Amino acid sequence: MKITLKVWRQKDSKSKGEFKTYEHSHVSPDMSFLEMLDVLNTELIKKKEEPISFDHDCREGICGMCSLYINGHPHGPLQTTTCQLHMRSFSDGETITIEPWRAKAFPVIKDLVVDRSAFDRIQQAGGYVNVNTGGVPDGNAIPIPKMIADEAFDAATCIGCGACVAACKNASAMLFVGAKVSQFALLPQGKVEAKQRVEKMVAQMDAEGFGACTNTYACEAECPKGIKITNIARMNREYLGAMLTSYKVEVGGGE
Amino acid sequence: MVNSINTAQYYTMKWFLDLFSSSLGKKLLMSLTGIFLILFLTVHLAGNLQLLKGDGGKSFNIYAEFMGTNPLIQFVSKGNFALILVHIIWAIMLTIKNRESRGAKGYAITNKKSTWASRNMAFLGFLILIFIVIHIQNFYYKAHFGTLPMQVYDGTEIKDLYTEVAFIFSQWWYVAIYTVCMIGLAFHLWHGFTSAFQTLGLNHMKYNPVISFIGKAYAVIVPALFAYIPVKMFFFS
Ligand code: HEM
Ligand code: FES
């Protein structure tokens, strides 16, 4: 296969950046998209040119590290991660445009690499359960209906890649936060801290500068893990309930 | 000593301000005011339909007089104005925030996987706003503060709003603006009706089909009936 690539090149976060065009003639339909870029980079290095920077890690669709906005879609034309996208999804002679995720909260670091640490900070704000030390409780001692367990697991499959933010016209992170809130809120272990969790995560999400959902559902359509917008609705009810009823304690211990 | 900042937070209901300044809280206001406006439209339409009764405007005038003088209705009407304002102001705040969040640099290519209406709520809302302004100037202002001819029904003299409406609806350009804005309203509600429930967190497999059906039906039928009135009065009177 022969393809033409239009790639966003940007030296660092402060430079302006621009598209550069590359003719790529060593492409096999069985290559993954990232392998195709690896081959191009090897050629660039041989020519003593700066290789294209892009994020990746597991290359098996589970870590959420790969990104790339390909021909107008996060992770390209299929609903999968870029690392699981193969060149057979494109046609011979096609021009492929590759851009970084665009969002104020995801600044470009270099070329196609963006800083997604905003997601980490949202997780650190409350996306966990506190587990005390002690004996391991018997898993079967806490009955959880199968449907609820499945729903929580579906939410937990979110790999935090940021495709939802990239796809959203408002750069809203609500599908991500909705999934992270839901995976705990549905389960007994997560219910204990559910209220403070959703309050803190939403506050952090707003502080990071993500937009507000206008229910266009572009995120759901593009999510490589098929996370459902029911998770956003759940976050909305959890948040409203928490804000209206969560515990406030008078600190300071009195006078 | 009690920490002064915490004391302030404790007594000032800071959490309440936090709620409505958060992204989710702002959306909540959009949704609640939107649903109220939907209820308002229903009542408003029921009143307007009396224009078509063919009794020379008698029932419409009596209805308008009742709405214009009943203290409870007047109270709800003032509240309605306030809620429209909240809906508009929060819509502007959210739209600005969302534009900012997208960042200065846009995509070269975008392939949107979402409906047109859902992406253009601000534009559609703006269309409705233009309509509301013209509308208030023509009808509400005239009926309340302007001078209208009087009509006597069963011994009482009341304002003849019907004649004014019939006059305005005899101008083709007014009927055209009215119809275009109603199409805008239809698209706003096509997305907005179901969207409001999602925002409230009311997304449930058992009820989604019902909400969606009622929402789509409302979005088509109500604006269509609103627009039918001036069109009919223009062509048949
Ligand atoms: C009678 C008139 C109106 C009705 C019945 C109405 C109804 C609604 C409803 C039900 C929603 C959905 C709320 C949600 O998604 O949670 C909505 C959203 C919206 N409305 Fe209106 N609206 C009206 C007028 C306006 C006006 C005059 C404007 C602007 C000038 C406006 C701007 C918006 C915007 C921007 C949204 C999207 C907000 C968001 O999702 O973040 N609307 N409207
Ligand atoms: S590289 Fe890990 S998900 Fe793509």
Side-chain angles (χ1 to χ4, degrees):
Chain A
M1 279 172 82
K2 275 195 170 85
I3 52 165
T4 307
L5 291 172
K6 270 183 73 187
V7 184
W8 184 260
R9 302 301 311 259
Q10 184 171 334
K11 201 159 150 276
D12 52 39
S13 58
K14 289 186 188 67
S15 331
K16 251 191 96 210
E18 59 179 4
F19 280 106
K20 271 214 167 138
T21 306
Y22 300 92
E23 301 298 331
H24 195 340
S25 43
H26 302 289
V27 180
S28 141
D30 295 330
M31 278 177 175
S32 79
F33 200 85
L34 298 185
E35 283 164 342
M36 178 275 291
L37 286 177
D38 290 339
V39 173
L40 177 65
N41 272 348
T42 314
E43 286 173 10
L44 289 180
I45 292 168
K46 275 192 202 143
K47 285 196 276 181
K48 301 239 176 330
E49 280 179 41
E50 179 80 7
I52 301 162
S53 297
F54 59 91
D55 267 327
H56 62 100
D57 190 11
C58 71
R59 297 205 175 196
E60 52 186 15
I62 53 164
C63 75
M65 211 40 213
C66 56
S67 55
L68 307 188
Y69 199 81
I70 305 163
N71 282 351
H73 295 285
H75 298 296
L78 301 184
Q79 216 183 337
T80 182
T81 54
T82 298
C83 58
Q84 294 298 297
L85 178 69
H86 291 83
M87 294 316 292
R88 53 180 169 270
S89 298
F90 300 87
S91 45
D92 198 13
E94 193 172 339
T95 300
I96 304 172
T97 306
I98 315 176
E99 301 174 70
W101 280 182
R102 297 276 185 210
K104 193 175 134 243
F106 286 166
V108 174
I109 300 172
K110 186 174 195 241
D111 297 340
L112 303 168
V113 179
V114 299
D115 180 358
R116 283 173 283 181
S117 57
F119 269 16
D120 299 338
R121 289 187 292 275
I122 294 175
Q123 282 288 64
Q124 284 154 10
Y128 50 81
V129 279
N130 284 307
V131 181
N132 293 326
T133 53
V136 180
D138 179 357
N140 290 325
I142 314 169
I144 301 168
K146 172 84 167 74
M147 272 193 275
I148 300 292
D150 286 350
E151 184 109 356
F153 192 78
D154 281 349
T157 56
C158 166
I159 51 177
C161 63
C164 44
V165 175
C168 175
K169 81 174 179 55
N170 311 319
S172 167
M174 290 195 190
L175 193 65
F176 167 72
V177 181
K180 294 301 164 195
V181 163
S182 292
Q183 75 185 51
F184 295 121
L186 283 161
L187 300 176
Q189 294 90 337
K191 286 213 163 88
V192 183
E193 296 162 297
K195 289 182 182 174
Q196 69 190 67
R197 174 182 307 113
V198 69
E199 285 183 357
K200 285 181 178 167
M201 290 179 80
V202 169
Q204 189 64 35
M205 169 180 84
D206 287 349
E208 297 290 351
F210 292 105
C213 176
T214 42
N215 304 332
T216 71
Y217 309 148
C219 54
E220 184 186 66
E222 299 282 13
C223 173
K225 295 294 156 184
I227 302 291
K228 294 271 167 288
I229 50 106
T230 42
N231 292 298
I232 301 183
R234 186 177 296 104
M235 171 182 68
N236 291 349
R237 349 183 241 283
E238 288 279 326
Y239 181 74
L240 182 62
M243 287 302 270
L244 292 178
T245 64
S246 68
Y247 249 59
K248 286 277 177 238
V249 183
E250 193 170 10
V251 281
E255 269 157 297
Chain B
M1 259 291 286
V2 176
N3 181 314
S4 60
I5 295 172
N6 282 324
T7 319
Q9 291 187 358
Y10 187 77
Y11 290 113
T12 54
M13 302 246 301
K14 181 177 171 296
W15 65 268
F16 193 74
L17 297 179
D18 284 348
L19 171 59
F20 287 107
S21 52
S22 72
S23 55
L24 262 56
K26 286 186 191 134
K27 287 247 43 196
L28 184 71
L29 280 182
M30 287 305 292
S31 158
L32 292 176
T33 51
I35 289 175
F36 182 86
L37 290 178
I38 287 173
L39 291 175
F40 156 75
L41 281 185
T42 317
V43 178
H44 195 330
L45 178 63
N48 284 13
L49 284 174
Q50 306 192 44
L51 284 164
L52 299 181
K53 266 201 168 167
D55 58 359
K58 184 175 173 195
S59 29
F60 179 76
N61 277 342
I62 292 174
Y63 157 81
E65 178 74 11
F66 168 75
M67 294 304 259
T69 48
N70 182 294
L72 180 67
I73 302 282
Q74 280 304 296
F75 176 75
V76 176
S77 154
K78 298 286 178 305
N80 190 39
F81 271 117
L83 291 180
I84 291 182
L85 271 183
V86 170
H87 192 82
I88 294 173
I89 294 169
W90 262 258
I92 294 171
M93 289 201 300
L94 278 165
T95 306
I96 292 175
K97 163 127 199 312
N98 289 343
R99 291 255 164 88
E100 269 173 24
S101 300
R102 190 97 283 286
K105 184 92 191 111
Y107 291 115
I109 301 182
T110 40
N111 257 310
K112 288 285 181 233
K113 281 195 182 169
S114 53
T115 60
W116 181 84
S118 74
R119 274 180 273 124
N120 291 284
M121 289 299 273
F123 163 70
L124 293 166
F126 186 67
L127 212 60
I128 304 172
L129 179 62
I130 294 177
F131 177 77
I132 294 177
V133 171
I134 300 179
H135 189 74
I136 288 180
Q137 202 263 330
N138 279 342
F139 297 122
Y140 187 86
Y141 187 82
K142 278 243 172 74
H144 283 252
F145 311 108
T147 44
L148 285 176
M150 302 300 272
Q151 265 278 7
V152 182
Y153 298 114
D154 307 326
T156 35
E157 192 180 50
I158 57 177
K159 287 179 185 166
D160 184 11
L161 190 58
Y162 178 84
T163 307
E164 180 68 18
V165 173
F167 165 68
I168 288 174
F169 286 171
S170 67
Q171 295 153 295
W172 69 267
W173 57 270
Y174 190 90
V175 176
I177 294 180
Y178 199 108
T179 311
V180 169
C181 291
M182 284 306 115
I183 295 172
L185 177 65
F187 278 102
H188 198 76
L189 291 175
W190 184 264
H191 174 69
F193 194 103
T194 43
S195 173
F197 286 87
Q198 162 80 2
T199 302
L200 289 177
L202 302 174
N203 178 324
H204 193 294
M205 298 283 271
K206 279 189 175 162
Y207 302 103
N208 286 354
V210 181
I211 295 174
S212 170
F213 179 79
I214 297 177
K216 306 282 183 249
Y218 188 99
V220 173
I221 295 170
V222 170
L225 284 177
F226 265 117
Y228 175 67
I229 298 168
V231 171
K232 172 144 195 262
M233 289 176 74
F234 180 77
F235 286 108
F236 296 100
S237 54

